Amino acid sequence: MKPKATYTGPVLDILGVGFGPSNLALAVAVDEYNEAAPTTPLRADFVERKQAFGWHRGMLLDQATMQVSFLKDLVTMRNPRSRFTFLTYLHERDRLVQFINHKTLFPLRIEFHDYLEWVAAQFAETVHYGTEVVEVRPVEEGGKAVYLDVISREIDHPDRVVVRRTRNLVIASGIVPALPAGLESTDRLWHSSEFLDRLAEFPGDPSVCTVVGAGQSAAEIAGHLHEVFPRADVHAVFSRYGYSPADDSPFANRVFDPAAVDEFFSAPPHVQQKFFEYHANTNYSVVDIEVIEDLNGRIYRESVRGVPRLHIRHMTAVKQVTPEPDRVRLRLEQLSTGEHVDLDTDLVVFATGYRPMDPLAVLGGTADLCKHDSSGLLRVQRDHQVVTENSVECGIYLQGGTEHTHGLSSSLLSTTAVRAGEIVESVAGRSRGADSGRTERAMAKGLSNVRS
């Protein structure tokens, strides 16, 4: 039964659903827009299911580094003069000199997470944590949907229902851990997203650990288990022949540039498909070469000592998983021979990736107002606004889930800063009208310094 509530507050210009890096960057862009246009500020609020800010906490391994440059933070690509840059964070943490001397573009993952928390703390008053959206209702005036009423409730107190009215909804619902069909997490079977939390709760030291997957997370977890359990055998299981290195060479890396979004968006569908085929090895199921070399070095040193513990089971598929009280039994198939073998393991981690959350699930019945292309995918404009029926005057924007329209960087950090500025610029233009929109865009020029 849907909760009943009525609207009582002011109208927002933006309501963001989700408060990960994408909508955090949007909060920064709104703040900087308001500083540049103090007489016509945008009012923005955000709702987030989690009780506090967090970003891939289960994979904040001590040694793990970011796979993107620190310059691709929440704001630098749009406004390098911002007070929200990673360098400003380092300065406030009194670590700028050490970072410079460290001679790297790639911070520790735990360090970048601390940067994100540092920025998020500055927007605590506009974020409602522990809150889930349960319904979105269009509000009509003169036969047009001019606002959206977003009904939410507190997760810990589901009887506390709040309605927020907004002219624009920005959905950044993120991604969902993907376990193989039919599997659920247990005390001994985990998805990589929950790795550190589950590991901290694991009783005793395992004698056999297994990691399924061929990407960055799988390789990092295999190395971590091999290090923290020095007497355990660690099995890395994947269907490839070996870990594939990520192509982060200068020209290939340009697929994550803001200009690449324009080129992808304007390309015909068959060219877009080729784009994915050509450049999947920049992002999907690939591993940093340093991690590959580290694992290979461990295997070689163990072969010299004659005590192998790290076992690469390449060209191998998991055919059956049987959880038992004190172990997990895996039926493995060696793909080149068809041979089957059982592997008993104390724990198994499936680093099997993520799937995007369906943004329409947030909208509920309002999703019927959104238009789709011939493939059944959402139609999304270049400014990240969903194409809707003519009767809809309010805006629905997506941050993520737009790879089919905006390319590989849709769910990544690379263009987050620029995308947030584009959304703010679009909202400002729409909410003030065409004439004032031109003025607003001029004032918001700093919001999109990097444009093709």
Side-chain angles (χ1 to χ4, degrees):
M1 183 175 179
K2 294 180 179 179
K4 294 182 179 180
T6 56
Y7 171 73
T8 58
V11 177
L12 299 167
D13 294 294
I14 294 173
L15 179 64
V17 178
F19 201 64
S22 292
N23 270 349
L24 177 54
L26 183 65
V28 170
V30 170
D31 183 83
E32 294 186 343
Y33 171 85
N34 290 344
E35 287 183 358
T39 60
T40 56
L42 297 175
R43 178 163 182 164
D45 269 14
F46 301 86
V47 294
E48 166 59 51
R49 281 183 53 86
K50 295 175 184 173
Q51 298 294 343
F53 182 87
W55 182 63
H56 296 304
R57 287 186 179 274
M59 284 299 297
L60 297 180
L61 306 175
D62 288 343
Q63 307 284 336
T65 59
M66 296 293 293
Q67 293 176 276
V68 298
S69 166
F70 72 89
L71 294 171
K72 293 183 177 181
D73 57 18
L74 298 171
V75 65
T76 297
M77 294 284 285
R78 173 176 56 77
N79 178 17
R81 300 179 183 88
S82 171
R83 60 188 175 90
F84 296 103
T85 65
F86 181 76
L87 291 180
T88 302
Y89 152 80
L90 288 174
H91 179 71
E92 291 215 357
R93 289 286 194 261
D94 196 25
R95 211 166 54 242
L96 180 57
V97 172
Q98 292 115 302
F99 185 84
I100 293 172
N101 290 335
H102 195 44
K103 297 181 180 180
T104 182
L105 289 172
F106 308 103
L108 291 168
R109 197 175 295 156
I110 55 174
E111 182 177 32
F112 199 81
H113 189 275
D114 188 57
Y115 157 70
L116 295 176
E117 287 186 304
W118 172 78
V119 178
Q122 300 179 60
F123 295 95
E125 293 184 359
T126 64
V127 186
H128 307 276
Y129 291 105
T131 300
E132 64 177 351
V133 174
V134 295
E135 188 180 0
V136 177
R137 301 171 185 161
V139 179
E140 293 188 2
E141 291 183 0
K144 299 284 188 179
V146 294
Y147 306 116
L148 293 170
D149 276 357
V150 180
I151 297 91
S152 60
R153 62 187 172 197
E154 296 181 23
I155 293 174
D156 290 344
H157 304 280
D159 56 322
R160 297 179 183 173
V161 177
V162 176
V163 180
R164 297 176 177 87
R165 180 165 293 178
T166 184
R167 296 182 178 89
N168 300 280
L169 188 67
V170 181
I171 302 173
S173 48
I175 50 181
V176 183
L179 282 170
L183 293 185
E184 295 182 359
S185 288
T186 69
D187 291 342
R188 295 178 180 272
L189 187 157
W190 320 326
H191 185 268
S192 56
S193 61
E194 53 188 345
F195 175 64
L196 287 180
D197 291 335
R198 292 286 194 176
L199 189 63
E201 298 170 354
F202 192 81
D205 289 351
S207 58
V208 180
C209 306
T210 305
V211 184
V212 180
Q216 181 77 14
S217 295
E220 289 178 347
I221 288 172
H224 187 80
L225 290 170
H226 183 261
E227 182 176 339
V228 300
F229 297 120
R231 288 182 290 277
D233 283 308
V234 177
H235 297 262
V237 179
F238 46 82
S239 57
R240 297 187 178 202
Y241 197 85
Y243 293 113
S244 298
D247 185 356
D248 61 351
S249 57
F251 288 109
N253 216 35
R254 291 184 180 184
V255 301
F256 303 116
D257 290 353
V261 177
D262 287 318
E263 292 187 80
F264 184 91
F265 186 85
S266 60
H270 72 280
V271 174
Q272 292 178 338
Q273 181 58 39
K274 284 294 184 183
F275 185 97
F276 281 113
E277 293 174 5
Y278 290 150
H279 299 293
N281 64 338
T282 59
N283 185 51
Y284 298 109
S285 296
V286 290
V287 183
D288 285 346
I289 189 65
E290 296 83 2
V291 176
I292 295 175
E293 291 173 344
D294 174 66
L295 293 179
N296 184 68
R298 298 184 196 205
I299 292 172
Y300 182 77
R301 290 190 294 272
E302 289 180 350
S303 71
V304 172
R305 293 195 300 268
V307 188
R309 290 196 304 112
L310 182 54
H311 310 277
I312 303 297
R313 291 179 173 265
H314 62 259
M315 295 186 68
T316 300
V318 178
K319 305 304 289 185
Q320 185 176 340
V321 181
T322 307
E324 299 181 1
D326 59 348
R327 64 183 177 180
V328 178
R329 172 160 288 184
L330 303 175
R331 170 63 59 89
L332 306 179
E333 179 183 353
Q334 220 294 322
L335 297 176
S336 61
T337 64
E339 178 186 1
H340 289 81
V341 63
D342 288 336
L343 173 64
D344 289 337
T345 182
D346 296 307
L347 64 88
V348 56
V349 184
F350 283 86
T352 44
Y354 300 81
R355 65 178 185 275
M357 289 186 70
D358 180 7
L360 298 185
V362 173
L363 295 174
T366 303
D368 294 338
L369 300 174
C370 300
K371 293 188 176 183
H372 296 75
D373 62 20
S374 59
S375 300
L377 299 171
L378 276 175
R379 291 175 57 191
V380 185
Q381 299 179 56
R382 177 59 186 86
D383 64 356
H384 314 282
Q385 184 182 176
V386 176
V387 178
T388 55
E389 299 291 342
N390 293 334
S391 60
V392 179
E393 292 187 350
C394 50
I396 299 172
Y397 293 81
L398 299 184
Q399 296 224 65
T402 56
E403 283 193 345
H404 63 292
T405 54
H406 289 68
L408 282 167
S409 64
S410 172
S411 61
L412 307 177
L413 285 172
S414 293
T415 57
T416 297
V418 174
R419 180 176 64 227
E422 290 171 342
I423 292 174
V424 170
E425 185 178 349
S426 175
V427 168
R430 291 182 63 256
S431 62
R432 309 306 177 206
D435 291 336
S436 62
R438 282 190 285 272
T439 303
E440 300 295 352
R441 283 192 288 276
M443 299 174 75
K445 208 163 186 179
L447 295 173
S448 51
N449 286 342
V450 184
R451 299 290 299 277
S452 64

